[in-house]
Amino acid sequence: MRLLKIVPDNTNIRFVRLRFWAFGLTLLLSLAAVGLTVTKGLNFGVDFVGGLMIEERFQTPPDLERVRAAVDRLGVGDATLQQFGDPKLVTIRLPVQEGADEGATNAVVRKVETALSAQFPGATFSRYATVSGKVSGELVKNGVLAVVLAMIGISLFAIFRFEWQFGVSTFVAIFHDLLMTLGFFALTQFDFDLNIVAAVLTIIGYSINDKIVIDDRIRENMRKYRNMNMSDLVDLSVNETLPRTVMTSVTILLALFAMLFLGGHVLRGFTAAMILGIVVGTYSSIYVSSSLLITLGLRAQPPVDDDGKGRGRGNPRAERVSAGQP
Amino acid sequence: MLDFPRWKVWSICLTLGLAILLAIPSFVPEKTTATWPKWIPAPRINLGLDLAGGSYLLLEADTNDVTAARLDGMREQVATEMRRGTPRIEIGDISTRGGQLSFMVRDATQVDAARERLLPMTTGAGLTGQRDWDISVINTSQFVMKPTEAGLAQAVDTAMGDATEVVRRRIDELGTREPTIIRQGKDRIVVQVPGLDNPQALKDLLGKTAKLEFKLVDEAATAAVQTGQPAPVGTQVLPYAEGGAAGGRIAVQRSTIVSGEQLIDARQAFHPENGSPIVNFTFDGPGGRRFARVTQEQTGKRFAIIVDNTVISAPRINTPILGGSGYIEGSFTVQSANELGIALRSGKLPVALKVVDESTVGPDLGADSIRAGIIASAVAVAAVVAFMLVTYGRFGVYANLAVVINVAVILAMMALIGATLTLPGIAGFVLTIGTAVDANVLINERIREERRRGRNVVQAVELGYKEASRTIFEANVTHAISGVIMLLLGSGPVKGFAVVLLIGICTSVFTAVVFTRMLVALWIRKNRPADINI
């Protein structure tokens, strides 16, 4: 049986030669992402801004304007209506009830429900959530803290296990992935809620997985071919790991697309974020982080212990050898 | 490489076999597992509220309440101690303003004696050995007592511990299934009740402090209050419960006859004459005797039954109430009488709780999500398995076996440690299926490479596993770092995701590296192939 090979053997794509184009593209996309995030803003879910979210299921697809009118009449603040995928499902968001206690919030939920079921027979709520402003503030703080800590933790690990250049390139690459994700959410206006923070952290985790595999190969080749020019070496390493990079991305995308189409509407934004993250993460591990290593002036290092655990520091002979390298 | 001793093979197979067995109960209906003999372990995966449907409430205590209650308590204690001890110490100008208690000792020569008497009332708090109150004397005879940070923290901690217990008792009384009640942080309690799609009754119940007091009504003062005069010293004006007797407000004496602490039972019943819902209550011995004495002395007068500073009813005492039991009449419905009964017998909350965060998922959506999640997972597994098969042939089969076993092991682990599967958890699960093959992709690609370099089969396989293992280790550690951070900092859904992810990382490394290696080794040892199709 002939086996499928997505990537042919012994590819020799000159990734590094294209790196200035890639840098330009990356810069352009990053600026676009920042611009979008700043101008359009993110569509924060109730988790983050506080407020009230009611998801109502209707018997037949309702006229959104009528739903809006029904809610507006109650005088409970500006309602934001959203509809994703299933036309029978409408998400109604209301701002935090001013200075009100829980009783008032509950009253609002009940008011909205009564009003809707009176006007649209058979309408039932499928879930609702209320988050107070105080709690939402903490969630934002923790979410941002989690992402920042993950970035720092992973970069530190890369510095300890590899060289400082790997740590820096990893950090930059994660930052890039993060910007792209934010840009995506600003563009599509998908709900940005707690789940998305989980998605972002997963993207970071995956994209790092990818980088570590390539970095690991670069380190291995640095030991093997001590006189090789650094850009050739990066090219060789990326090419050698290319089949794996593509294979793994494909399997994960297969799983995620199954989730996107079949996993239900609640997770759609979450899955979309991850799919984007896989694509962006793969790009950034090849272009942003590997190419950055050259810019950062990574040089082939002297041999270290065979199992790759040491880094050769504190070995005077090794330092001398390294000094003699071009 | 080929050296795989028999004991190793057996222990790997046993471990994985056991894990698969432990995953089975989660797929069997609960009714069936209930009929299994006791010695068969049947751990089940907990479904999160977003899957099972139900309510999540985040309750927050107002810590100012605790501070105020401490000041009031200390004020009482100081007044009693100074009066009771010999010699009696006269004090005045006692106030609890500005978060501190201050009072004056009238006779300046008694300042030292007063301090002696105060000291035993303050105790050490926390590990630092700090006392729970700071005592200072200003202007020679003015005492200022200030609760210390450590003392307050300890008081809040105790109050929250008690409050959690009370919340648990109340929810248990409602008869709901498997509620989760966890204290979170300094002043919060998380309540999760599966399968409850109308949380209103629950919130009404938890919102009650249920401080029960019996106080005598001051008729003269009530009349005065109704004509707009201020209440005299020693009485307080309280509102009637909604829908209660006319008049709206009533004046009662400040001192309590009997309070809820002396209650041993309270439950909903029906009035023997008119059949309206009432709450029957019983006092303990001392409480009952006190109640009997007061009602004997005050026959013909009215007393007020007060719950959370609201008068429920103010009946006239027609005959002394001697048996230590009675009933509370008000404008109750059966449900509200039942709720009051539960609230009273579960004890009073030491601190008022407020709902700050709430979400409810209808049971339909939960069921839909599970169905969608299972279908998506199944399709994901099928797609990945097919893809691996056409790409790696025999080695793909091994990798697939590893993935399928991995799925079972994750489920078993989750059931064993009691982790909760949430909707994002299912996403984490699907993602794990995708990444689980990554380790095998790495290994297999490496074997391909080594073969191309002209190594023989055994060498290529051996090098493939050896070289790839290091990369797999490094890649998974970094992945785990983000998982751990999610677990530590995330809340609710993020945590659920992180748990699945972390378990998935551990199990996938084991199945992908150890288990497939064993399969490959056994196959090569048996067949000694000259070439492999990879």
Side-chain angles (χ1 to χ4, degrees):
Chain A
M1 186 177 88
R2 246 189 77 78
L3 297 176
L4 176 79
K5 273 189 188 147
I6 298 191
V7 178
D9 291 343
N10 300 320
T11 50
N12 190 17
I13 305 169
R14 309 300 305 266
F15 290 104
V16 172
R17 195 184 288 166
L18 295 172
R19 79 176 190 275
F20 293 108
W21 290 102
F23 275 167
L25 181 70
T26 310
L27 200 67
L28 217 68
L29 283 175
S30 304
L31 286 176
V34 173
L36 270 174
T37 314
V38 171
T39 54
K40 287 192 84 171
L42 296 171
N43 179 17
F44 286 111
V46 277
D47 293 353
F48 289 148
V49 287
L52 212 144
M53 189 274 296
I54 304 172
E55 194 182 272
E56 193 86 4
R57 179 181 289 281
F58 294 87
Q59 290 286 343
T60 49
D63 177 4
L64 279 189
E65 280 316 306
R66 276 184 63 210
V67 177
R68 190 190 307 278
V71 179
D72 279 349
R73 258 202 304 280
L74 299 173
V76 287
D78 275 338
T80 316
L81 265 56
Q82 267 177 353
Q83 214 171 12
F84 280 125
D86 191 343
K88 289 182 198 161
L89 216 54
V90 179
T91 308
I92 301 159
R93 287 221 328 245
L94 290 167
V96 185
Q97 302 298 307
E98 276 304 318
D101 58 353
E102 25 133 355
T105 313
N106 283 316
V108 171
V109 174
R110 254 182 295 176
K111 255 200 229 166
V112 173
E113 271 176 48
T114 327
L116 288 180
S117 55
Q119 216 170 58
F120 303 89
T124 49
F125 87 103
S126 56
R127 62 183 173 130
Y128 75 81
T130 64
V131 183
S132 72
K134 188 176 165 197
V135 173
S136 67
E138 281 168 35
L139 292 177
V140 172
K141 206 182 72 194
N142 280 347
V144 172
L145 193 65
V147 172
V148 171
L149 278 183
M151 284 172 74
I152 293 175
I154 289 167
S155 304
L156 281 181
F157 178 79
I159 292 176
F160 281 124
R161 290 290 292 178
F162 300 95
E163 299 296 326
W164 69 267
Q165 286 96 339
F166 289 92
V168 174
S169 69
T170 304
F171 192 85
V172 172
I174 302 175
F175 197 69
H176 163 262
D177 300 347
L178 206 64
L179 278 185
M180 292 297 136
T181 316
L182 288 182
F184 173 76
F185 274 91
L187 185 70
T188 57
Q189 292 289 307
F190 276 132
D191 256 16
F192 195 90
D193 56 19
L194 261 190
N195 287 345
I196 303 303
V197 174
V200 168
L201 284 164
T202 312
I203 292 167
I204 293 178
Y206 172 75
S207 147
I208 290 306
N209 232 16
D210 230 29
K211 287 174 224 331
I212 295 286
V213 170
I214 297 177
D215 287 356
D216 197 71
R217 187 58 77 104
I218 293 177
R219 181 175 62 181
E220 186 185 326
N221 283 339
M222 272 161 57
R223 260 179 248 138
K224 222 189 243 169
Y225 312 103
R226 255 177 282 165
N227 294 316
M228 193 187 272
N229 173 306
M230 201 56 207
S231 33
D232 291 341
L233 197 137
V234 169
D235 267 344
L236 175 74
S237 309
V238 174
N239 274 298
E240 277 179 351
T241 49
L242 196 60
R244 174 267 162 195
T245 308
V246 174
M247 269 298 294
T248 301
S249 297
V250 169
T251 53
I252 293 177
L253 287 177
L254 279 177
L256 284 177
F257 273 106
M259 198 70 207
L260 183 72
F261 291 120
L262 304 167
H265 73 281
V266 184
L267 284 177
R268 200 144 288 149
F270 183 77
T271 322
M274 287 222 256
I275 289 176
L276 175 93
I278 302 300
V279 175
V280 171
T282 308
Y283 167 82
S284 74
S285 45
I286 292 176
Y287 272 109
V288 183
S289 87
S290 311
S291 303
L292 196 63
L293 288 175
I294 301 169
T295 313
L296 288 174
L298 181 70
R299 295 266 182 281
Q301 283 283 316
V304 290
D305 3 342
D306 282 348
D307 61 2
K309 281 188 186 118
R311 293 197 302 141
R313 283 258 170 91
N315 176 346
R317 201 175 68 91
E319 293 292 336
R320 256 202 317 280
V321 175
S322 128
Q325 294 278 315
Chain B
M1 165 70 213
L2 301 183
D3 177 38
F4 235 97
R6 187 158 289 173
W7 66 267
K8 231 176 178 174
V9 174
W10 278 107
S11 51
I12 291 170
C13 290
L14 268 177
T15 312
L16 295 177
L18 200 68
I20 294 172
L21 284 180
L22 285 173
I24 294 173
S26 292
F27 291 98
V28 180
E30 211 168 346
K31 281 193 192 110
T32 320
T33 50
T35 61
W36 289 2
K38 279 271 180 290
W39 54 268
I40 298 180
R44 293 186 80 80
I45 290 186
N46 290 324
L47 291 181
L49 293 180
D50 47 357
L51 295 177
S55 289
Y56 161 93
L57 298 175
L58 183 63
L59 306 169
E60 192 179 76
D62 188 351
T63 46
N64 292 332
D65 275 7
V66 179
T67 319
R70 262 174 85 72
L71 281 173
D72 282 344
M74 189 48 98
R75 176 198 169 120
E76 282 296 304
Q77 229 183 324
V78 167
T80 324
E81 282 301 315
M82 295 299 161
R83 205 179 325 119
R84 209 163 46 188
T86 40
R88 189 185 164 105
I89 300 173
E90 291 294 340
I91 57 170
D93 288 351
I94 192 158
S95 98
T96 53
R97 267 189 295 272
Q100 57 185 30
L101 175 72
S102 71
F103 59 90
M104 217 181 64
V105 175
R106 295 209 190 279
D107 182 353
T109 58
Q110 284 183 314
V111 167
D112 287 337
R115 185 196 280 279
E116 281 300 303
R117 236 176 262 182
L118 287 178
L119 276 178
M121 284 150 62
T122 68
T123 49
L127 298 168
T128 52
Q130 208 186 343
R131 299 193 83 79
D132 55 357
W133 293 81
D134 280 336
I135 304 174
S136 53
V137 181
I138 51 173
N139 301 337
T140 65
S141 62
Q142 173 104 28
F143 273 85
V144 174
M145 295 181 72
K146 218 180 170 150
T148 61
E149 284 296 318
L152 272 180
Q154 202 184 37
V156 170
D157 191 61
T158 315
M160 287 307 288
D162 294 348
T164 311
E165 258 324 294
V166 173
V167 167
R168 188 187 311 280
R169 279 203 298 270
R170 288 189 188 175
I171 293 176
D172 282 347
E173 292 267 3
L174 266 186
T176 42
R177 204 167 53 95
E178 296 169 41
T180 316
I181 297 136
I182 313 162
R183 235 186 102 179
Q184 192 180 64
K186 195 170 79 52
D187 55 0
R188 289 193 180 149
I189 301 171
V190 173
V191 175
Q192 295 185 338
V193 188
L196 186 81
D197 54 2
N198 175 18
Q200 197 51 47
L202 179 67
K203 281 195 298 192
D204 286 347
L205 187 57
L206 295 180
K208 280 198 182 72
T209 312
K211 188 167 114 198
L212 175 71
E213 291 159 308
F214 289 77
K215 291 180 175 181
L216 283 171
V217 175
D218 190 332
E219 304 284 0
T222 302
V225 166
Q226 275 161 357
T227 58
Q229 283 163 331
V233 180
T235 66
Q236 62 187 138
V237 181
L238 295 176
Y240 253 110
E242 244 178 276
R249 280 139 58 86
I250 192 167
V252 297
Q253 294 185 359
R254 270 189 190 274
S255 61
T256 308
I257 311 172
V258 194
S259 72
E261 273 93 65
Q262 281 144 332
L263 208 66
I264 46 178
D265 194 22
R267 46 191 81 240
Q268 186 263 325
F270 294 98
H271 195 285
E273 282 154 32
N274 58 25
S276 60
I278 53 169
V279 181
N280 271 337
F281 62 85
T282 313
F283 285 123
D284 61 5
R289 280 194 291 279
R290 210 123 164 237
F291 198 49
R293 206 185 63 229
V294 173
T295 50
Q296 258 168 339
E297 287 165 4
Q298 309 285 339
T299 310
K301 294 199 175 147
R302 288 205 295 158
F303 69 97
I305 302 167
I306 302 154
V307 177
D308 292 348
N309 287 326
T310 305
V311 178
I312 302 290
S313 63
R316 196 165 298 282
I317 307 167
N318 295 324
T319 49
I321 301 165
L322 301 173
S325 66
Y327 58 82
I328 305 172
E329 210 178 349
S331 44
F332 291 124
T333 61
V334 173
Q335 198 195 349
S336 64
N338 190 29
E339 275 168 20
L340 181 61
I342 292 174
L344 289 179
R345 70 174 176 271
S346 59
K348 91 170 199 218
L349 278 174
V351 53
L353 296 172
K354 201 169 66 184
V355 179
V356 286
D357 186 1
E358 177 198 353
S359 62
T360 293
V361 175
D364 292 348
L365 179 68
D368 280 355
S369 302
I370 295 186
R371 204 173 315 118
I374 290 178
I375 293 174
S377 307
V379 171
V381 171
V384 171
V385 161
F387 184 64
M388 288 297 281
L389 192 68
V390 295
T391 315
Y392 295 120
R394 174 180 290 276
F395 285 76
V397 174
Y398 294 154
N400 286 336
L401 271 175
V403 169
V404 173
I405 290 176
N406 188 28
V407 169
V409 176
I410 294 177
L411 290 175
M413 284 289 292
M414 291 189 69
L416 272 184
I417 65 172
T420 305
L421 185 66
T422 58
L423 203 50
I426 290 187
F429 200 77
V430 169
L431 190 76
T432 308
I433 296 167
T435 41
V437 294
D438 180 52
N440 284 112
V441 170
L442 271 166
I443 294 165
N444 292 347
E445 288 297 336
R446 196 77 195 210
I447 296 175
R448 268 187 183 175
E449 248 178 82
E450 298 298 336
R451 283 293 288 160
R452 276 204 303 273
R453 286 186 189 149
R455 306 220 196 259
N456 72 35
V457 171
V458 175
Q459 273 176 334
V461 171
E462 188 160 9
L463 271 172
Y465 271 92
K466 190 181 156 221
E467 297 290 328
S469 291
R470 189 192 58 231
T471 316
I472 293 168
F473 167 76
E474 260 152 23
N476 280 295
V477 168
T478 47
H479 207 169
I481 290 176
S482 62
V484 169
I485 287 169
M486 275 193 258
L487 192 65
L488 292 182
L489 283 176
S491 57
V494 179
K495 267 205 169 98
F497 181 83
V499 168
V500 180
L501 196 69
L502 282 175
I503 295 177
I505 288 172
C506 300
T507 57
S508 72
V509 169
F510 182 76
T511 51
V513 180
V514 180
F515 177 67
T516 62
R517 189 168 163 208
M518 179 189 83
L519 293 178
V520 174
L522 292 179
W523 172 67
I524 292 183
R525 193 158 70 187
K526 192 154 169 260
N527 294 304
R528 303 267 164 202
D531 191 12
I532 46 174
N533 187 11
I534 186 166

